[in-house]
Amino acid sequence: MFFAKPGVYKPCGMYNYKHLFLFVATAILIACAVKNTKIEKKEQVKKIIQKSTLIVWVLEIAKIFFLISIGEGKNINKIIPLYYCSLLLYSGLFSSVGKGFIKKAGDVFLATGGIVGGLTFLVFPTTSLPEYPMLHFISLHSFFFHGTMVYLCIIINKFKYIELKFSDITYYAGLIFIICLGAYVVNLKFGSNLMFISQDFPSNPVSILYNWAGKMFTPIMILLQMIVPFVGVYGIMRLKNRYGIIQSR
Protein backbone atom coordinates (compact mmCIF):
# COMPACT_ATOMS: atom_id res chain seq x y z
CA MET A 1 0.00 0.00 0.00
CA PHE A 2 2.79 2.41 0.90
CA PHE A 3 4.03 2.72 -2.69
CA ALA A 4 0.94 1.55 -4.57
CA LYS A 5 -0.21 3.21 -7.77
CA PRO A 6 -3.31 5.42 -7.62
CA GLY A 7 -6.48 3.38 -7.93
CA VAL A 8 -5.10 0.17 -6.43
CA TYR A 9 -6.48 1.06 -3.01
CA LYS A 10 -9.35 3.30 -2.02
CA PRO A 11 -8.08 6.88 -1.60
CA CYS A 12 -8.22 8.54 1.78
CA GLY A 13 -10.46 11.37 0.62
CA MET A 14 -10.92 14.71 2.34
CA TYR A 15 -12.99 15.96 5.25
CA ASN A 16 -13.45 12.58 6.85
CA TYR A 17 -12.02 10.97 9.99
CA LYS A 18 -8.81 9.95 8.21
CA HIS A 19 -8.14 13.48 7.01
CA LEU A 20 -8.96 14.74 10.49
CA PHE A 21 -6.52 12.24 12.01
CA LEU A 22 -3.70 13.37 9.72
CA PHE A 23 -4.49 17.01 10.44
CA VAL A 24 -4.57 16.57 14.21
CA ALA A 25 -1.49 14.31 14.23
CA THR A 26 0.45 16.87 12.19
CA ALA A 27 -0.67 19.71 14.48
CA ILE A 28 0.43 17.75 17.56
CA LEU A 29 3.81 16.94 16.03
CA ILE A 30 4.33 20.60 15.11
CA ALA A 31 3.42 21.70 18.64
CA CYS A 32 5.76 19.11 20.19
CA ALA A 33 8.58 20.07 17.84
CA VAL A 34 8.19 23.77 18.64
CA LYS A 35 8.00 23.09 22.39
CA ASN A 36 11.14 20.97 22.32
CA THR A 37 13.13 23.36 20.14
CA LYS A 38 15.61 25.11 22.42
CA ILE A 39 17.43 28.03 20.88
CA GLU A 40 20.21 30.02 22.49
CA LYS A 41 21.77 31.56 19.38
CA LYS A 42 20.29 32.51 16.02
CA GLU A 43 22.80 30.23 14.30
CA GLN A 44 20.89 27.31 15.78
CA VAL A 45 17.80 28.37 13.82
CA LYS A 46 19.87 28.44 10.65
CA LYS A 47 21.07 24.88 11.33
CA ILE A 48 17.47 23.73 11.78
CA ILE A 49 16.55 25.36 8.46
CA GLN A 50 19.51 23.65 6.78
CA LYS A 51 18.66 20.21 8.15
CA SER A 52 14.96 20.60 7.37
CA THR A 53 15.76 21.73 3.84
CA LEU A 54 17.99 18.70 3.26
CA ILE A 55 15.27 16.34 4.50
CA VAL A 56 12.48 17.83 2.37
CA TRP A 57 14.70 17.82 -0.71
CA VAL A 58 15.54 14.13 -0.23
CA LEU A 59 11.85 13.31 0.19
CA GLU A 60 10.88 15.46 -2.80
CA ILE A 61 13.38 13.66 -5.02
CA ALA A 62 12.03 10.33 -3.75
CA LYS A 63 8.53 11.53 -4.61
CA ILE A 64 9.59 12.47 -8.15
CA PHE A 65 11.21 9.06 -8.67
CA PHE A 66 8.04 7.40 -7.43
CA LEU A 67 5.87 9.39 -9.83
CA ILE A 68 8.16 8.55 -12.73
CA SER A 69 8.06 4.86 -11.76
CA ILE A 70 4.26 4.80 -12.04
CA GLY A 71 4.23 6.46 -15.46
CA GLU A 72 3.80 10.13 -14.51
CA GLY A 73 7.18 11.19 -15.91
CA LYS A 74 5.64 13.37 -18.61
CA ASN A 75 3.10 15.02 -16.32
CA ILE A 76 4.67 18.44 -15.79
CA ASN A 77 2.11 19.36 -13.14
CA LYS A 78 3.21 16.47 -10.94
CA ILE A 79 6.94 16.07 -11.41
CA ILE A 80 8.09 19.72 -11.43
CA PRO A 81 7.94 21.19 -7.91
CA LEU A 82 6.93 24.70 -8.87
CA TYR A 83 3.99 25.68 -6.73
CA TYR A 84 3.55 28.08 -3.85
CA CYS A 85 4.28 25.41 -1.25
CA SER A 86 7.22 24.12 -3.29
CA LEU A 87 8.97 27.38 -2.48
CA LEU A 88 9.96 25.73 0.80
CA LEU A 89 12.53 23.82 -1.26
CA TYR A 90 14.03 26.91 -2.86
CA SER A 91 13.65 29.39 -0.02
CA GLY A 92 15.17 26.81 2.30
CA LEU A 93 18.22 26.63 0.04
CA PHE A 94 18.38 30.42 -0.28
CA SER A 95 18.19 30.81 3.49
CA SER A 96 20.71 28.03 4.14
CA VAL A 97 23.51 28.89 1.72
CA GLY A 98 22.55 32.15 0.02
CA LYS A 99 23.85 35.65 0.68
CA GLY A 100 22.48 39.15 0.36
CA PHE A 101 19.18 39.51 -1.48
CA ILE A 102 18.89 35.77 -2.12
CA LYS A 103 19.26 34.80 1.54
CA LYS A 104 16.92 37.57 2.64
CA ALA A 105 14.27 36.46 0.15
CA GLY A 106 14.51 32.91 1.48
CA ASP A 107 14.29 34.04 5.10
CA VAL A 108 11.30 36.28 4.46
CA PHE A 109 9.36 33.62 2.61
CA LEU A 110 9.96 31.05 5.35
CA ALA A 111 8.86 33.60 7.95
CA THR A 112 5.62 34.50 6.18
CA GLY A 113 4.58 32.32 3.27
CA GLY A 114 5.51 29.12 5.07
CA ILE A 115 2.61 29.12 7.49
CA VAL A 116 0.12 30.28 4.85
CA GLY A 117 1.05 27.57 2.37
CA GLY A 118 1.40 24.91 5.04
CA LEU A 119 -1.93 25.52 6.76
CA THR A 120 -3.79 25.94 3.47
CA PHE A 121 -2.65 22.52 2.31
CA LEU A 122 -3.41 20.82 5.62
CA VAL A 123 -6.99 22.05 5.27
CA PHE A 124 -7.20 21.46 1.50
CA PRO A 125 -4.89 18.48 0.70
CA THR A 126 -6.23 18.28 -2.83
CA THR A 127 -3.03 16.94 -4.41
CA SER A 128 -2.67 13.82 -2.26
CA LEU A 129 -5.65 12.52 -0.27
CA PRO A 130 -8.14 12.39 -3.17
CA GLU A 131 -5.79 9.99 -5.02
CA TYR A 132 -3.91 8.01 -2.37
CA PRO A 133 -4.71 6.09 0.84
CA MET A 134 -3.94 7.66 4.20
CA LEU A 135 -0.92 5.40 4.83
CA HIS A 136 0.69 6.04 1.46
CA PHE A 137 4.08 7.62 0.85
CA ILE A 138 2.55 10.55 -1.06
CA SER A 139 -0.06 11.28 1.63
CA LEU A 140 2.38 11.12 4.53
CA HIS A 141 5.03 13.01 2.59
CA SER A 142 2.61 15.84 1.83
CA PHE A 143 1.60 16.28 5.48
CA PHE A 144 5.20 16.11 6.67
CA PHE A 145 6.28 18.61 3.99
CA HIS A 146 3.61 21.16 4.81
CA GLY A 147 3.94 20.57 8.54
CA THR A 148 7.61 21.45 8.15
CA MET A 149 6.62 24.73 6.49
CA VAL A 150 4.49 25.66 9.48
CA TYR A 151 7.15 24.56 12.00
CA LEU A 152 9.93 26.61 10.38
CA CYS A 153 7.71 29.68 10.16
CA ILE A 154 6.86 29.44 13.86
CA ILE A 155 10.41 29.03 15.13
CA ILE A 156 11.80 31.74 12.82
CA ASN A 157 9.32 34.20 14.30
CA LYS A 158 9.34 32.85 17.85
CA PHE A 159 13.10 33.13 18.17
CA LYS A 160 13.28 36.26 16.02
CA TYR A 161 15.69 34.81 13.49
CA ILE A 162 14.84 37.85 11.36
CA GLU A 163 13.23 41.12 12.37
CA LEU A 164 10.40 41.27 9.87
CA LYS A 165 9.64 44.72 8.45
CA PHE A 166 6.94 45.77 6.05
CA SER A 167 9.60 46.81 3.54
CA ASP A 168 10.57 43.11 3.38
CA ILE A 169 7.58 42.63 1.12
CA THR A 170 9.91 43.57 -1.73
CA TYR A 171 11.96 40.42 -1.07
CA TYR A 172 8.85 38.27 -0.73
CA ALA A 173 7.01 39.70 -3.72
CA GLY A 174 10.15 39.65 -5.85
CA LEU A 175 10.68 35.95 -5.19
CA ILE A 176 7.05 35.11 -5.94
CA PHE A 177 7.05 37.17 -9.14
CA ILE A 178 10.19 35.49 -10.48
CA ILE A 179 8.82 32.02 -9.71
CA CYS A 180 5.45 32.86 -11.25
CA LEU A 181 7.10 34.27 -14.37
CA GLY A 182 9.09 31.07 -14.83
CA ALA A 183 6.01 28.95 -14.16
CA TYR A 184 3.95 30.94 -16.67
CA VAL A 185 6.54 30.40 -19.42
CA VAL A 186 6.53 26.66 -18.74
CA ASN A 187 2.72 26.63 -18.67
CA LEU A 188 2.52 28.32 -22.05
CA LYS A 189 4.90 25.81 -23.59
CA PHE A 190 3.55 22.60 -22.06
CA GLY A 191 -0.06 23.45 -21.19
CA SER A 192 0.64 22.88 -17.50
CA ASN A 193 -0.70 24.75 -14.49
CA LEU A 194 2.35 25.37 -12.31
CA MET A 195 1.76 27.85 -9.46
CA PHE A 196 -1.95 27.38 -10.28
CA ILE A 197 -1.84 30.54 -12.41
CA SER A 198 -2.95 29.32 -15.84
CA GLN A 199 -5.93 26.99 -15.43
CA ASP A 200 -8.78 26.06 -13.17
CA PHE A 201 -8.12 23.60 -10.36
CA PRO A 202 -11.49 21.99 -9.47
CA SER A 203 -12.19 21.01 -5.85
CA ASN A 204 -9.83 23.77 -4.72
CA PRO A 205 -10.45 27.37 -3.57
CA VAL A 206 -8.53 28.44 -6.68
CA SER A 207 -11.57 27.37 -8.70
CA ILE A 208 -13.69 30.11 -7.12
CA LEU A 209 -11.28 32.81 -8.26
CA TYR A 210 -10.94 31.23 -11.71
CA ASN A 211 -14.70 31.29 -12.31
CA TRP A 212 -15.00 34.84 -11.03
CA ALA A 213 -11.97 36.48 -12.65
CA GLY A 214 -12.24 35.10 -16.17
CA LYS A 215 -9.42 36.35 -18.42
CA MET A 216 -7.92 38.32 -15.53
CA PHE A 217 -7.35 35.14 -13.54
CA THR A 218 -3.60 34.88 -14.18
CA PRO A 219 -2.54 38.43 -13.19
CA ILE A 220 -4.91 38.45 -10.21
CA MET A 221 -3.66 35.07 -9.02
CA ILE A 222 -0.05 36.23 -9.30
CA LEU A 223 -0.74 39.48 -7.43
CA LEU A 224 -2.62 37.67 -4.67
CA GLN A 225 0.29 35.32 -4.10
CA MET A 226 2.73 38.25 -4.18
CA ILE A 227 0.88 40.33 -1.60
CA VAL A 228 -1.79 38.65 0.55
CA PRO A 229 0.24 35.99 2.44
CA PHE A 230 2.95 38.47 3.45
CA VAL A 231 0.57 41.23 4.47
CA GLY A 232 -1.64 38.81 6.41
CA VAL A 233 1.20 37.23 8.39
CA TYR A 234 2.99 40.55 8.90
CA GLY A 235 -0.22 42.11 10.25
CA ILE A 236 -0.79 39.24 12.68
CA MET A 237 2.85 39.39 13.82
CA ARG A 238 2.57 43.11 14.48
CA LEU A 239 -0.52 42.60 16.61
CA LYS A 240 1.04 39.74 18.57
CA ASN A 241 4.31 41.57 19.12
CA ARG A 242 2.47 44.69 20.16
CA TYR A 243 0.58 42.88 22.89
CA GLY A 244 3.55 40.74 23.93
CA ILE A 245 2.06 37.42 22.90
CA ILE A 246 5.15 36.15 21.12
CA GLN A 247 8.06 35.47 23.41
CA SER A 248 11.45 34.11 22.49
CA ARG A 249 11.62 31.92 25.60
Side-chain angles (χ1 to χ4, degrees):
M1 177 185 290
F2 196 68
F3 288 108
K5 294 182 179 181
V8 176
Y9 295 96
K10 183 179 179 180
C12 176
M14 300 195 305
Y15 311 122
N16 52 36
Y17 74 93
K18 293 180 180 179
H19 178 192
L20 179 62
F21 174 82
L22 288 173
F23 181 91
V24 173
T26 303
I28 292 173
L29 289 173
I30 293 170
C32 290
V34 171
K35 183 178 180 180
N36 289 284
T37 299
K38 307 300 180 184
I39 299 295
E40 298 297 331
K41 299 179 181 179
K42 289 185 178 181
E43 277 299 310
Q44 292 174 281
V45 176
K46 183 175 182 179
K47 289 182 179 179
I48 291 174
I49 294 173
Q50 291 173 332
K51 292 178 181 178
S52 298
T53 300
L54 177 61
I55 292 171
V56 295
W57 263 109
V58 170
L59 291 174
E60 188 68 22
I61 292 171
K63 172 187 171 182
I64 292 171
F65 274 113
F66 167 76
L67 291 172
I68 292 174
S69 73
I70 64 172
E72 295 284 4
K74 295 183 179 180
N75 191 332
I76 301 297
N77 287 327
K78 291 190 175 182
I79 66 168
I80 295 183
L82 205 57
Y83 296 96
Y84 186 88
C85 293
S86 303
L87 292 183
L88 168 61
L89 298 167
Y90 311 112
S91 59
L93 282 178
F94 297 160
S95 177
S96 297
V97 299
K99 295 181 180 180
F101 180 92
I102 292 177
K103 174 172 172 50
K104 184 70 172 182
D107 290 339
V108 172
F109 178 83
L110 293 176
T112 55
I115 197 165
V116 174
L119 287 178
T120 299
F121 178 87
L122 295 179
V123 176
F124 302 103
T126 51
T127 57
S128 61
L129 298 193
E131 291 187 70
Y132 297 95
M134 180 179 75
L135 298 178
H136 192 280
F137 169 67
I138 297 296
S139 298
L140 297 181
H141 165 269
S142 65
F143 274 78
F144 175 83
F145 185 99
H146 294 86
T148 300
M149 293 184 74
V150 176
Y151 166 72
L152 290 177
C153 181
I154 292 174
I155 66 166
I156 286 171
N157 288 297
K158 179 180 180 181
F159 298 106
K160 300 187 183 300
Y161 181 62
I162 63 171
E163 295 291 339
L164 197 64
K165 302 176 182 178
F166 187 76
S167 58
D168 290 335
I169 193 172
T170 56
Y171 296 96
Y172 171 87
L175 175 63
I176 300 298
F177 178 76
I178 292 171
I179 295 296
C180 283
L181 184 61
Y184 185 66
V185 171
V186 175
N187 291 344
L188 286 178
K189 183 174 180 60
F190 296 100
S192 51
N193 193 28
L194 302 177
M195 288 298 288
F196 299 127
I197 59 175
S198 297
Q199 302 171 18
D200 190 11
F201 187 11
S203 302
N204 187 285
V206 171
S207 189
I208 299 174
L209 176 62
Y210 182 85
N211 292 324
W212 173 80
K215 294 181 178 180
M216 290 298 295
F217 170 74
T218 295
I220 291 175
M221 186 64 177
I222 293 174
L223 284 173
L224 286 176
Q225 293 184 80
M226 287 175 59
I227 298 172
V228 174
F230 179 92
V231 172
V233 174
Y234 176 79
I236 292 172
M237 292 299 301
R238 282 294 302 272
L239 288 174
K240 289 185 174 181
N241 286 328
R242 181 176 182 181
Y243 293 103
I245 298 175
I246 291 181
Q247 301 294 333
S248 62
R249 293 289 185 275

